[in-house]
Amino acid sequence: MPEPFDWDILHRPSAMAMVRGQLGFSWMVLSGRLAQLTDDQYFWRPSSEALTVVRRHYTGRFRSLGSGEWVAQWPDEPDHRGPRTIAWLIAHLTETFFERWEWTFGASQQGRADINLHGNARDAVAWLTHWVEAWQDAIATLDEEQVMTVGLSQATELDAGEPFGHVVLRLNRELIHHGSEIMTLQDLYAVAA
């Protein structure tokens, strides 16, 4: 069960409070929908070409992302426009939050390729929840000056060259963007089934 949204944050007059409020509210909405996610929805393919999470030896023409038995099919082109499953979208959000947490607040040793992914909805949602909440808790400890620190996150070259607040906003955008895709796929699955 997700923690309730901190409505009080809406009355705090700072840029970081607004950013944290956006993340918290967006996560509350998405996690509410994910709480009901079934394995059938998780793996449903809106087309036969949809990127998904598969067992390591079934990646097909794609690279694999992940370190365990289950991996995400990863395209070579950075702006791949093909459809994706909910499983792939959850995997992508999980590795994004994990890598940013690791290279900002963690040991700065593991990257996105080291993430463990899951072959069922319950465990995948629990793992995503873990990393989103770890990120939320960690950024809540920062003061406004730290948020403006260039290079606080070393996860990517882009992160290292910009104020940390931009990294937080980018992760918010990822959650909102891919969360919307997940909820749309859930709706499409409901009418296709």
Side-chain angles (χ1 to χ4, degrees):
M1 183 79 176
E3 291 186 27
F5 180 68
D6 176 14
W7 291 100
D8 186 53
I9 203 166
L10 300 178
H11 304 289
R12 295 183 202 145
S14 75
M16 197 57 185
M18 289 185 279
V19 170
R20 288 178 47 222
Q22 181 186 52
L23 173 62
F25 188 82
S26 300
W27 176 241
M28 179 189 72
V29 172
L30 177 59
S31 63
R33 290 286 295 266
L34 290 176
Q36 305 304 316
L37 186 68
T38 67
D39 286 347
D40 287 341
Q41 292 173 328
Y42 180 69
F43 281 117
W44 180 66
R45 294 181 114 152
S47 87
S48 61
E49 296 296 310
L51 295 173
T52 193
V53 171
V54 296
R55 292 187 191 276
R56 180 169 294 283
H57 54 280
Y58 290 118
T59 56
R61 63 184 171 96
F62 299 105
R63 295 177 293 138
S64 61
L65 177 94
S67 62
E69 175 186 2
W70 291 91
V71 295
Q73 295 174 313
W74 208 259
D76 288 325
E77 59 276 12
D79 225 10
H80 180 75
R81 299 266 184 225
R84 299 165 286 212
T85 63
I86 292 174
W88 190 94
L89 292 163
I90 288 174
H92 174 52
L93 284 172
T94 302
E95 59 88 6
T96 298
F97 279 91
F98 159 73
E99 186 176 53
R100 288 327 188 289
W101 182 91
E102 171 71 10
W103 285 86
T104 309
F105 306 105
S108 301
Q109 295 177 351
Q110 296 185 310
R112 63 191 338 181
D114 299 310
I115 191 79
N116 280 316
L117 301 177
H118 300 280
N120 66 74
R122 184 195 72 230
D123 292 339
V125 169
W127 200 221
L128 173 60
T129 299
H130 171 81
W131 289 113
V132 170
E133 290 179 355
W135 178 254
Q136 285 179 305
D137 292 346
I139 66 172
T141 67
L142 300 177
D143 61 35
E144 297 291 322
E145 187 175 312
Q146 290 170 304
V147 171
M148 298 311 293
T149 303
V150 174
L152 184 62
S153 174
Q154 295 291 312
T156 68
E157 196 174 309
L158 179 62
D159 290 8
E162 65 185 3
F164 183 66
H166 287 277
V167 177
V168 177
L169 285 170
R170 192 166 352 101
L171 263 64
N172 285 7
R173 186 184 70 232
E174 285 287 300
L175 184 74
I176 293 165
H177 170 78
H178 294 307
S180 296
E181 289 181 284
I182 288 168
M183 291 186 284
T184 298
L185 285 169
Q186 284 180 302
D187 294 343
L188 290 172
Y189 174 86
V191 297

